[in-house]
Amino acid sequence: MNSQASSSKAIADPAKAYECLHPKVQEWIWHQQWQQLRATQAEAVGPILTGETDVIVSAATASGKTEAAWLPICSALAFDADAGKSQPGVKALYISPLKALINDQYGRLQELARYVDVPIYRRHGDVTGSDRKSISQNPDGLLLITPESLEALFVHQGTRIPIMLNGLRYVVIDELHSFIGTERGAQLQSLLHRVELAIRRRVPRVALSATLADPRIAADFLRPSSGPNVTFIGGASNDQSELQLILRGYVSLQKPGGDRSADNDATDDEEDRVDDAVETRSIAENIFKHMRGKDNLVFANSRRNVEIYTDILTRMCEDLRVPNEFLAHHGNLSKEHREDVERKLKSSESYATAICTSTLEMGIDIGSADAVGQIGAPSSVSALRQRVGRSGRRGGPAILRMYATEPELTDKTAPVDQLRTQTVQTIAVVELLLAKWYEPPNTASLHLSTLIQQILSVIAQHGGATAPQLFSALCSHGPFVRVSRDMFLRLLRDLGQNDVISQASDGTLLPGGVGEKLVNHYSFYSAFQTSQEYRLVAHGRTLGSIPIDYPLLIGSLLVFAGRRWKVLNVDTDAKVIELTRAKGGRPPEFTGSGAEIADGIRQKMRALYQNTIVPAYLSATSQRLLSEGRTAFHRLRLDRSPLYAYGNHTILFPWRGDLIMNTLAVALKREGLEVSEDGVAIECKDTSPESLLRILTRLASSPEPDPCSLANDVLVKQQDKHDQYLGESLLTEAYAARSLDVPATWSALRDITSARADDPH
């Protein structure tokens, strides 16, 4: 018999690592016909198996991170069983940001769990009936769960949590990068801390990710206040896959009669003049030509674009009388529809190309995509890395096809559009991807909205709690360490004034009338805002949902799930829309804002404008667009000054990320200027370059202002789910922490005013 490893040190030799695993796990590996463990898997065995440290496994997509965690975890559980040391209750908790990822991992882990005689359960919003009851009534083995469902366990079965999790040995967090710096991440940190409070001991945490910008930030997130003690395994060096890519450029022209110009997809440099929205159809034609007859993922940047492109591609298949392989996949589609698409992607019997949003970005096993498409400029390097990682899993290269559209140049084209920013941003993201650079997360937020949720959750868990108990559990010894005692007391007062909480005569805090409604509503368990929606039903089958504020009348035409529909009936009470197939329609508008653009991307864009290198992956039209952007950059003299006179206005080009751009805009508004942000630029109305330069110079030489004093001037500060219950002072502090970066902005101001800004034009 093998014995459990006695050292937490990483084992570099795959053979030695294999010998440390339990024989039942070794048998499972043998049945998989593996030649040996991968390097990351071998390194993870020692630290995870001994359970003496928290571990982060960082490796490329499809590099075996899942097995790196679960092989030693299942071995440890099997060794415990052999020694008679197993305790009743759940043994390992797997937390995932996606229900679909849980379903995928559930299927992948079932056989391994069976080899070591450990039951496996899953719990999320789509799991109902007996499956939900079984883990509550007979807690054991591996539990795969979302943060929202774990929150629901605390609220509804709070007194049973110590019993259910009594035997907990490990917590596994998948896609760690997706949580860091978010409200959902603050919720997860709180839930993990409350788990340890409930069972009165520390539980080793194992985190998995493919795109970590800074291991120190990730470690501090995984184990707050003890980040330096986290063991880090893997890194960018594990990603050695070959990447083949092309960026195709398109030009849209709005002319009388609907004429537009576009990059023809038959060749890189041939151009046609056809009707309105031809660039959209041209992109679809390229996708059809290169991706039909294969398995692919095409990321369209928005749910509306998913519907537009799926509709065009579906009609192309119908016109040519060939089977349709192009399928829509986004969060508003029904679970059944999404799972059907995922099955078709995974099946070897047919081909499928999913036109999707980020729903297929993370590690759901859909097999190997032959190619990945990206329509529009990627908003982040991390997201593109995740997407590229879905291709090239059969030993071949990863293939990335990108599409960027710019407006036709005329004498009325705005300066920002002259710079061809969509093309240059796409190139910047690709160059940073090739350099293995990823966006550092914004970890400055106070997360007061999520703290409100956690206060109500703790009260529900225990049937009441005192203010000192809440502050100790959540703030002074919990994850909300940035919230001071004074701030916490002000928060409690705000909640009391809004009837979110009430206080009994003995000082116990209880839910108020508003708090009762919040806790008892199904939406309480999520830390993020969820809008009310209508359910779309066709012939008795639910297709998905659309925002409730989207106007639809009987007889309206709609594109949804890549198909065209006519509205038969609208039931406003039940919030149900009945549909039937039709020949026309338009996709609905979906809510949601784009991701924040990082500082590194904008600075890389400026560097691209200033050099002459032309990347080899550009099509002829993309090369021309890049050249036009560079020409405009110099013609506007942005190489000499960040200020450009535009009529009676002045446009400022800081070349900084959205957080700094927002802070700078707030500071300029405070100076009495009327400003508007336009991607890479800030337009200052009725202001000359000389006047704006004087203001910028004075700001740069003045002491950095208090962030809250800047935030005071912002009219709309509510952004997160429960911000409406914050008083003005806390709302201001929350906005300042989350949406302003004064030190970085004042550093940028000093750069701006020293960059030949004495030559405004």
Side-chain angles (χ1 to χ4, degrees), residues 421-439:
T421 55
Q422 288 295 297
T423 300
V424 176
Q425 181 177 319
T426 302
I427 297 171
V429 171
V430 171
E431 292 299 308
L432 291 170
L433 171 72
L434 297 176
K436 296 183 170 60
W437 178 94
Y438 304 116
E439 296 82 0

Side-chain angles (χ1 to χ4, degrees), residues 674-711:
E674 183 181 348
V675 305
S676 60
E677 293 182 58
D678 185 10
V680 300
I682 297 175
E683 183 172 322
C684 302
K685 300 185 183 301
D686 299 318
T687 306
S688 68
E690 294 81 6
S691 176
L692 180 56
L693 178 57
R694 285 194 295 271
I695 293 173
L696 294 172
T697 303
R698 177 165 49 79
L699 287 174
S701 61
S702 64
E704 295 177 7
D706 175 58
C708 288
S709 70
L710 280 183

Side-chain angles (χ1 to χ4, degrees), residues 108-134:
R108 291 179 64 182
L109 292 173
Q110 276 183 311
E111 186 182 19
L112 176 58
R114 187 172 67 249
Y115 265 78
V116 293
D117 302 315
V118 173
I120 181 170
Y121 304 92
R122 54 182 166 171
R123 181 152 182 162
H124 55 67
D126 294 338
V127 176
T128 58
S130 59
D131 289 338
R132 292 180 69 88
K133 293 180 180 178
S134 57

Side-chain angles (χ1 to χ4, degrees), residues 250-287:
Y250 297 78
V251 180
S252 62
L253 174 62
Q254 197 72 39
K255 281 188 173 181
D259 253 36
R260 287 179 182 242
S261 168
D263 184 8
N264 187 303
D265 296 303
T267 62
D268 282 340
D269 53 5
E270 183 182 354
E271 295 188 1
D272 287 341
R273 301 265 176 185
V274 283
D275 60 1
D276 192 24
V278 69
E279 72 279 358
T280 301
R281 185 168 184 86
S282 294
I283 291 172
E285 287 172 350
N286 185 267
I287 292 171

Side-chain angles (χ1 to χ4, degrees), residues 110-360:
Q110 276 183 311
E111 186 182 19
L112 176 58
R114 187 172 67 249
Y115 265 78
V116 293
D117 302 315
V118 173
I120 181 170
Y121 304 92
R122 54 182 166 171
R123 181 152 182 162
H124 55 67
D126 294 338
V127 176
T128 58
S130 59
D131 289 338
R132 292 180 69 88
K133 293 180 180 178
S134 57
I135 186 62
S136 301
Q137 295 172 348
N138 302 295
D140 193 10
L142 315 181
L143 174 58
L144 283 55
I145 196 167
T146 60
E148 291 74 26
S149 288
L150 183 55
E151 188 76 73
L153 286 180
F154 272 106
V155 170
H156 295 294
Q157 302 188 50
T159 57
R160 282 184 47 78
I161 290 291
I163 299 172
M164 294 177 64
L165 303 181
N166 177 63
L168 193 64
R169 286 285 316 273
Y170 294 94
V171 172
V172 179
I173 304 160
D174 209 349
E175 306 291 355
L176 179 70
H177 63 276
S178 70
F179 290 108
I180 301 174
T182 68
E183 294 301 313
R184 205 178 186 202
Q187 177 189 23
L188 175 60
Q189 286 182 311
S190 180
L191 291 171
L192 294 179
H193 182 63
R194 290 168 61 192
V195 163
E196 295 185 345
L197 289 178
I199 63 177
R200 300 182 182 278
R201 57 185 170 83
R202 176 188 169 279
V203 180
R205 301 172 184 176
V206 179
L208 312 176
S209 180
T211 55
L212 292 177
D214 188 331
R216 294 169 298 179
I217 293 176
D220 287 339
F221 175 87
L222 181 63
R223 182 67 70 174
S225 304
S226 297
N229 299 323
V230 174
T231 298
F232 192 83
I233 291 172
S237 59
N238 287 301
D239 184 8
Q240 303 294 338
S241 59
E242 180 186 351
L243 173 62
Q244 296 180 0
L245 66 155
I246 184 171
L247 170 59
R248 292 184 176 273
Y250 297 78
V251 180
S252 62
L253 174 62
Q254 197 72 39
K255 281 188 173 181
D259 253 36
R260 287 179 182 242
S261 168
D263 184 8
N264 187 303
D265 296 303
T267 62
D268 282 340
D269 53 5
E270 183 182 354
E271 295 188 1
D272 287 341
R273 301 265 176 185
V274 283
D275 60 1
D276 192 24
V278 69
E279 72 279 358
T280 301
R281 185 168 184 86
S282 294
I283 291 172
E285 287 172 350
N286 185 267
I287 292 171
F288 187 92
K289 175 183 177 182
H290 291 285
M291 296 190 176
R292 188 175 176 276
K294 300 173 184 176
D295 293 319
N296 311 282
L297 298 176
V298 178
F299 293 91
N301 275 3
S302 73
R303 287 166 285 185
R304 179 176 172 82
N305 278 345
V306 166
E307 295 293 352
I308 289 172
Y309 281 98
T310 308
D311 174 58
I312 294 173
L313 289 160
T314 298
R315 285 186 286 127
M316 285 181 179
C317 293
E318 292 172 352
D319 292 344
L320 294 172
R321 300 181 183 276
V322 296
N324 179 39
E325 300 173 2
F326 300 97
L327 309 165
H329 193 289
H330 59 72
N332 278 75
L333 293 163
S334 68
K335 171 178 72 80
E336 292 76 16
H337 179 93
R338 296 194 308 269
E339 290 180 348
D340 183 53
V341 174
E342 291 157 18
R343 279 192 296 270
K344 289 177 179 177
L345 285 167
K346 205 169 183 178
S347 172
S348 59
E349 298 178 359
S350 61
Y351 296 112
T353 291
I355 314 299
C356 56
T357 57
S358 58
T359 48
L360 287 176

Side-chain angles (χ1 to χ4, degrees), residues 58 71 123 185 252 326 331 401 403 544 577 586 630 663 681 687 724:
S58 176
L71 294 179
R123 181 152 182 162
S252 62
F326 300 97
R401 298 182 179 278
Y403 308 89
I577 297 173
R586 294 176 63 84
R630 284 171 168 167
T663 309
T687 306
Q724 61 183 303

Side-chain angles (χ1 to χ4, degrees), residues 49 74 111 125-126 199 205 486 519 543 579 713 716:
L49 189 57
C74 287
E111 186 182 19
D126 294 338
I199 63 177
R205 301 172 184 176
D486 170 70
V519 174
L543 301 176
L579 306 173
D713 296 328
V716 181

